[in-house]
Structures are given as structure tokens and as C-alpha cells.
């Protein structure tokens, strides 16, 4: 995860990224939102814009394009952050009702609009890589897939200790895994 994160930061901060889409996958509570928040700070050369998943189908509308042109005219590249973007990533053959949302997002990842507006897109999702549409995973479009999983007991304890200034606990059992949210919740008790 750290190596992929560093690659995304380096590439998305560059003037000409080789591809403009990065997808963060993982179960609920594993830290996808934490990674996206960290990316906002690390992508200091870019304008980061949060797009609610409910507006994914609006990405190619004239009103949204006008907004993106205004942002581009303000200077720098633009990173669209879409949290819980399952609807614009799902396999079109299984979910034909999502084709419009996917098309809107795909049109902004390569081609004329992506280059003219200097867009990059980061999407978090609970979908597995296998459940994503092939068009999303295409070479030249998908720059990075960051898969975040649960922490094993040793790593969970390490995070717990870091949060709690060295304190320890026996809450993490060897052989079990824990979502990051669970480690944070236990740290507050």
C-alpha cells in the first residue's frame, strides 16, 4: 500500500501523468478514507475536489464541465476524489443501469477532456478488483490499484501502540485480522 501510495503521489503531482485513474479497494473500515484524506495533503500541486458518489452521473454534464473549466483556469491540475464510487466501477454487463455513471467517469480519465482539463481521479470502493468493469482496468487508464485489507494482530497492535504512545493491550489475537477502524475504536476506550 505504501509503495503504491508513493507512486500515485509522484505521478499525480507530475505535469503529465501516464494514466489518470487510481482506485482504492478494500472492505469497510480498512482505512480507504484515511488514505484519500492523506492524498489531499500530499497532492499539494493539484486542486483536490470531492465529488459525492451521488453526483457521479453528473460528471459529464455542461454544468460540471463549466465548473471544471473554472477550476482549471485557476491554475494547476485537478484531482477528483470519489468516495464509495462503486456505481462508476461495476461491471457493465452485470449492472447495465450504471453505464451512464461509468461512461461519465471514463470520459474524464483519458482522451480530450482529461488532457484539456488536466484531470486525475481517485476512487475508493468496497468492490473487489475482479468485480470492476474491464474498461476501468484497461492499461493506459488505470494507473494504480491500491488494495487495503485488514491488519493482522501484530500490525494492529503496532498501530494501537503508536496511537496510544506505547501502551499495550491483549485485545488482538494471533491469527485474527482487524479493520483499522476497529483498532482506532479500541484505542479510544
Amino acid at each position: 500500500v505504501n509503495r503504491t501510495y508513493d507512486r500515485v503521489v509522484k505521478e499525480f503531482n507530475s505535469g503529465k501523468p501516464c494514466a489518470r485513474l487510481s482506485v482504492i479497494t478494500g472492505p469497510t473500515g480498512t482505512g480507504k478514507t484515511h488514505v484519500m484524506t492523506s492524498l489531499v495533503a500530499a497532492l499539494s500541486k493539484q486542486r483536490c475536489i470531492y465529488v459525492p458518489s451521488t453526483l457521479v452521473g453528473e460528471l459529464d454534464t455542461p454544468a460540471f464541465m463549466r465548473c471544471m473549466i473554472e477550476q482549471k483556469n485557476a491554475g494547476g491540475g485537478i484531482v477528483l476524489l470519489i468516495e464509495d464510487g462503486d456505481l462508476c466501477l461495476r461491471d457493465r454487463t452485470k449492472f447495465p443501469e450504471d453505464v451512464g455513471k461509468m461512461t461519465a467517469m471514463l470520459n474524464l480519465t483519458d482522451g480530450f477532456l482529461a488532457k484539456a482539463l488536466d484531470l486525475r481521479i481517485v476512487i475508493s470502493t468496497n468492490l473487489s478488483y475482479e468485480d470492476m468493469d474491464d474498461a476501468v482496468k484497461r492499461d493506459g487508464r488505470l494507473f494504480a490499484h491500491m488494495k487495503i485489507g485488514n491488519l493482522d494482530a501484530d500490525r494492529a497492535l503496532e498501530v494501537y501502540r503508536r496511537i496510544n504512545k506505547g501502551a499495550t493491550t491483549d485485545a488482538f489475537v494471533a491469527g485474527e485480522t482487524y479493520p483499522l477502524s476497529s483498532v482506532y475504536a479500541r484505542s479510544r476506550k
Side-chain angles (χ1 to χ4, degrees):
V1 170
N2 289 337
R3 280 191 301 272
T4 303
Y5 176 90
D6 290 342
R7 281 182 47 236
V8 168
V9 169
K10 181 179 178 187
E11 191 68 19
F12 279 23
N13 267 331
S14 74
K16 296 189 185 258
C18 65
R20 297 174 179 272
L21 176 64
S22 180
V23 177
I24 304 168
T25 64
T28 302
T30 54
K32 297 181 299 293
T33 299
H34 182 73
V35 170
M36 288 183 82
T37 302
S38 178
L39 279 171
V40 170
L43 296 172
S44 58
K45 296 179 181 179
Q46 312 302 326
R47 282 182 187 274
C48 294
I49 300 171
Y50 179 79
V51 178
S53 60
T54 56
L55 295 179
V56 168
E58 307 297 315
L59 291 176
D60 60 355
T61 63
F64 190 81
M65 286 298 107
R66 191 170 26 262
C67 178
M68 290 298 97
I69 291 168
E70 289 171 8
Q71 292 299 314
K72 177 60 181 160
N73 289 339
I78 300 168
V79 178
L80 300 180
L81 302 160
I82 303 170
E83 192 172 27
D84 298 321
D86 303 22
L87 298 179
C88 63
L89 299 171
R90 297 194 298 188
D91 186 333
R92 290 177 281 188
T93 61
K94 295 177 185 171
F95 299 95
E97 67 274 15
D98 293 339
V99 170
K101 294 171 184 72
M102 175 177 291
T103 302
M105 184 274 299
L106 293 177
N107 286 338
L108 298 177
T109 59
D110 59 8
F112 174 75
L113 285 175
K115 290 177 178 74
L117 296 172
D118 199 13
L119 289 173
R120 295 125 170 98
I121 300 176
V122 178
I123 303 174
S124 72
T125 182
N126 294 332
L127 290 177
S128 68
Y129 182 81
E130 295 75 26
D131 291 332
M132 286 188 249
D133 193 89
D134 288 339
V136 171
K137 300 183 278 188
R138 191 189 83 205
D139 287 341
R141 177 174 282 140
L142 181 62
F143 173 70
H145 168 228
M146 194 179 313
K147 182 179 180 182
I148 302 176
N150 289 332
L151 304 172
D152 64 28
D154 290 338
R155 183 76 174 118
L157 181 58
E158 181 182 323
V159 171
Y160 180 91
R161 286 180 176 157
R162 188 176 66 236
I163 294 168
N164 293 293
K165 299 177 175 71
T168 192
T169 181
D170 59 359
F172 306 111
V173 179
E176 298 289 324
T177 62
Y178 303 88
L180 183 62
S181 61
S182 172
V183 177
Y184 276 92
R186 291 171 191 211
S187 295
R188 292 184 197 116
K189 291 181 180 178

